[in-house]
Amino acid sequence: MTEHGSAARAGGSAGNGRHADQASWWRSAVIYEIYLRSFADGDGDGSGDLAGVRSRLPYLRDLGVDALWFTPWYRSPLADGGYDVADYRSIDPTFGTLADAEALISEALDHGIRTIIDVVPNHVSADHEWFRAALAAGPGAPERDRFWFHPGRGDTGDAIPTHWVSNFAGPTWTRTTNPDGTPGEWYLHLFTPEQPDLNWNHPDVGAEHEDVLRFWFDRGVAGIRIDSAALLIKDAALPEVPASPAPGRHPHVDRDELHEVYRAWRAVADSYDPPRILVGEVWLPDPARFARYLRPDEMHTAFNFDFMARPWVAKELRESIDTTLEAHGLVGAPATWVLSNHDVTRPVTRYGREDSSFAFAAKRFGVPTDLRVGRRRARAAALLTAALPGSLYIYQGDELGLPEVEDLPRELLEDPMHFRSGGRDPGRDGCRVPLPWSGDRAPFGFTEADTAWLPQPSDWAQLTVERQAGDPGSMLCLYRTAVAVRRREGALHDGALRWLDSDGDVLAFSRGADFVCLVNLGPEPAALPEGSSVLLASDDLVDGRLPQDTAVWLRTARPHRSAQIRSVPMKE
Ligand code: NOJ
């Protein structure tokens, strides 16, 4: 593909959504996350790759998604699933070649699907040429200034420079060995030692990233997902973390200087025609601090993890929806709705637990789970999120209702979160098990090899794409229909959300003039508004009422506050 041709096409011909204004496609897009290693294997080595995705593009077209977000596909030792990038300008050989990536970007556009790639600016791989040069050059060398090298504290330099805690548990500093074999300086890594943090005060770091953005924007990618976006800048004085840091003054989270970085990136993105988009991975508890990243000259959108982390409780979800819409409204940015991703417990499993909230620190082996309940709730959650204003993310396999795989053999686990927690945290491998495509036995059409890189449970025979495609009651058919209805319903793109009067356990809201979504989280069935007709339901209605853990989309004549949604006892 030529650079010119692809760049021009990145937003021009794609977008089979209903936006009159193609430049705003991202405001209500459906974006499908591909964890490349586990989507589809094209070369028969048991691990997913670009050839596998290319062969499955018709599946993604039929699902109706507007864009694909690829987790990192660059050359990497895969110490953290590719979030340890050794070279941004080449594709890891496990996944294919740069030519394969260019072909994929182009072929996806032929199906009306844009491509978003992952950029990991907080750290690189210890195999990155910059870090290798820094180690080789030794203490005091300018090559070290692109990272956070620091002498240890104490007389012998044995004491760690700070006691900052890694996002993956444990210390954030590792001591080096000097070229002459003596103990050397320490270097900072907020994640694993294989992921040294970059020093964003060094001019090379920003310049290199802007060049990387251009490299991929020139190849037709429509946007980037920014990894760990609130962590890049550190306080150069390296203080300990105070008990209650002032907003913007934490030593390594959400520092005010970060916004300059994203303003510069936005300028790069806006210099393209059509403009490219920035999506941030921003984990921050304070909605106002979160929204600052979405000011008009910064990112376009950021993942809304607050909603994802809430338990399946109507009051909690409603509160999250309200806070989200309010915070985004202040900066004029659309919200995002995310039920899961490659880092968190699959919704079918999470919602099947007594505590259905999500927190990394709370993950444990052996939590009792009712998958039947979880599946029902995950179906309702799919319709709820698809009806909310903003863009929607679907993590591969959620459309098949895959549960978390919780009994992977321990010797096959790879996730550093598991190992760094001393084995307490099961880690993230269980949500990264390769997709089941067809057939009755593993590897279910995922690969021509005998086994996939992580084994799939034998009962996934019920969950293959092949099996579900022919079953109107399947999760896959629910997702396909929901995305198709969402695409054609104008109200689901730009209709304002208005809450309707309802009992506490029922979420009821309208979008635009005549679209209503109801979700019943309580035990009593809820009556539908008079004169409404059902567009889509996550499960069967019972005697015309909406049973527990069910969502419905309605066409209604009068979607106003007067449309009382009442829960009625079964034996009324
Ligand atoms: C967030 C990514 O989603 C996760 O998979 C990764 O481990 C960390 N950032 C570190 O890059």
Side-chain angles (χ1 to χ4, degrees):
M1 112 187 319
T2 64
E3 284 191 11
H4 245 77
S6 59
R9 295 183 61 218
S13 62
N16 40 10
R18 63 176 313 286
H19 287 288
D21 174 9
Q22 284 296 311
S24 308
W25 68 273
W26 48 274
R27 297 189 79 90
S28 63
V30 178
I31 299 167
Y32 185 88
E33 180 193 350
I34 295 201
Y35 190 76
L36 205 43
R37 258 180 120 182
S38 302
F39 184 74
D41 176 20
D43 68 2
D45 66 354
S47 185
D49 49 35
L50 296 171
V53 179
R54 287 170 69 187
S55 73
R56 299 291 183 180
L57 282 172
Y59 170 75
L60 296 163
R61 177 204 57 210
D62 294 348
L63 187 55
V65 300
D66 299 301
L68 306 176
W69 151 36
F70 287 89
T71 57
W73 56 18
Y74 321 102
R75 187 162 67 71
S76 163
L78 301 180
D80 179 22
Y83 285 92
D84 46 324
V85 178
D87 176 7
Y88 272 110
R89 295 176 185 80
S90 67
I91 299 290
D92 195 86
T94 337
F95 299 140
T97 63
L98 188 56
D100 292 336
E102 289 176 342
L104 171 54
I105 293 165
S106 171
E107 287 165 13
L109 280 173
D110 292 340
H111 291 294
I113 301 175
R114 294 175 168 88
T115 296
I116 293 174
I117 56 163
D118 222 309
V119 172
V120 189
N122 180 66
H123 43 268
V124 289
S125 162
D127 259 14
H128 190 283
E129 59 171 352
W130 280 6
F131 193 69
R132 291 158 71 112
L135 281 185
E143 286 85 345
R144 291 209 165 181
D145 295 344
R146 294 177 180 138
F147 298 90
W148 292 99
F149 281 89
H150 204 272
R153 305 211 188 265
D155 294 345
T156 56
D158 276 353
I160 196 159
T162 71
H163 293 89
W164 300 355
V165 177
S166 165
N167 287 25
F168 285 175
T172 51
W173 296 88
T174 292
R175 195 163 193 188
T176 59
T177 305
N178 289 324
D180 67 2
T182 55
E185 292 181 324
W186 300 67
Y187 68 90
L188 176 71
H189 49 84
L190 292 185
F191 294 89
T192 70
E194 291 82 14
Q195 295 164 294
D197 277 45
L198 288 164
N199 175 5
W200 272 85
N201 298 329
H202 194 294
D204 286 0
V205 174
E208 165 68 358
H209 278 83
E210 287 175 30
D211 202 58
V212 165
L213 298 193
R214 289 200 182 87
F215 180 88
W216 288 103
F217 290 161
D218 288 346
R219 280 168 175 74
V221 309
I224 54 163
R225 176 264 189 195
I226 307 165
D227 186 69
S228 304
L231 305 184
L232 279 46
I233 308 280
K234 278 82 187 180
D235 183 342
L238 301 178
E240 294 296 350
V241 179
S244 351
R249 307 286 12 125
H250 185 289
H252 60 85
V253 181
D254 185 33
R255 291 185 64 80
D256 286 338
E257 304 89 321
L258 270 166
H259 297 282
E260 285 311 312
V261 174
Y262 299 122
R263 288 197 182 101
W265 289 20
R266 179 64 178 254
V268 174
D270 282 349
S271 71
Y272 282 78
D273 181 19
R276 309 310 201 234
I277 66 148
L278 312 179
V279 183
E281 189 209 17
V282 181
W283 291 86
L284 290 178
D286 176 351
R289 294 294 304 179
F290 174 92
R292 286 161 58 89
Y293 291 81
L294 303 178
R295 289 175 289 191
D297 58 348
E298 299 192 41
M299 299 175 190
H300 296 73
T301 61
F303 297 124
N304 174 11
F305 294 122
D306 178 69
F307 181 84
M308 184 192 76
R310 298 284 184 136
W312 185 250
V313 173
K315 186 169 161 289
E316 293 266 355
L317 296 178
R318 176 162 176 169
E319 184 186 280
S320 179
I321 294 167
D322 282 339
T323 337
T324 300
L325 295 179
E326 196 183 308
H328 286 74
L330 294 175
V331 285
T336 64
W337 304 99
V338 180
L339 284 177
S340 84
N341 63 33
H342 64 284
D343 292 330
V344 308
T345 312
R346 290 268 191 195
V348 161
T349 300
R350 200 170 75 227
Y351 288 142
R353 292 180 167 164
E354 196 179 327
D355 177 1
S356 53
S357 62
F358 177 79
F360 286 108
K363 285 182 76 181
R364 292 290 179 273
F365 287 101
V367 180
T369 306
D370 184 336
L371 287 180
R372 200 189 51 81
V373 170
R375 185 157 287 122
R376 212 180 149 84
R377 291 177 174 173
R379 291 174 65 90
L383 290 200
L384 167 60
T385 47
L388 291 169
S391 61
L392 175 72
Y393 281 80
I394 302 172
Y395 173 47
Q396 68 179 38
D398 280 357
E399 82 280 17
L400 301 176
L402 300 185
E404 187 85 359
V405 181
E406 301 193 278
D407 56 357
L408 288 168
R410 300 267 175 129
E411 65 277 10
L412 294 183
L413 298 185
E414 290 196 4
D415 184 14
M417 283 191 101
H418 169 67
F419 297 104
R420 286 178 63 95
S421 75
R424 227 182 26 251
D425 176 346
R428 300 166 294 176
D429 298 291
C431 65
R432 300 174 176 181
V433 173
L435 297 194
W437 289 94
S438 57
D440 293 321
R441 261 192 282 144
F444 299 118
F446 168 76
T447 176
E448 300 272 290
D450 292 342
T451 51
W453 72 278
L454 279 176
Q456 303 140 305
S458 56
D459 61 3
W460 280 16
Q462 309 301 320
L463 298 177
T464 61
V465 170
E466 183 181 52
R467 184 75 69 97
Q468 295 200 40
D471 172 6
S474 69
M475 187 74 97
L476 178 58
C477 286
L478 178 72
Y479 264 87
R480 280 183 176 164
T481 312
V483 175
V485 174
R486 179 183 158 106
R487 170 161 294 182
R488 65 169 187 258
E489 278 294 312
L492 290 181
H493 295 269
D494 48 23
L497 177 145
R498 184 205 293 235
W499 290 107
L500 307 178
D501 292 337
S502 66
D503 281 0
D505 284 337
V506 179
L507 297 173
F509 59 88
S510 65
R511 296 283 313 273
D514 59 358
F515 180 97
V516 162
C517 175
L518 300 187
V519 191
N520 186 1
L521 291 89
E524 302 299 345
L528 306 186
E530 263 174 48
S532 56
S533 55
V534 174
L535 294 171
L536 183 60
S538 64
D539 271 293
D540 289 340
L541 301 188
V542 176
D543 298 332
R545 295 171 187 168
L546 190 67
Q548 183 163 27
D549 295 334
T550 312
V552 68
W553 287 359
L554 302 169
R555 173 82 64 230
T556 155
R558 271 191 317 134
H560 301 296
R561 285 192 176 275
S562 55
Q564 295 268 345
I565 318 293
R566 285 186 313 115
S567 297
V568 276
M570 249 328 199
K571 297 202 177 87
E572 192 184 43

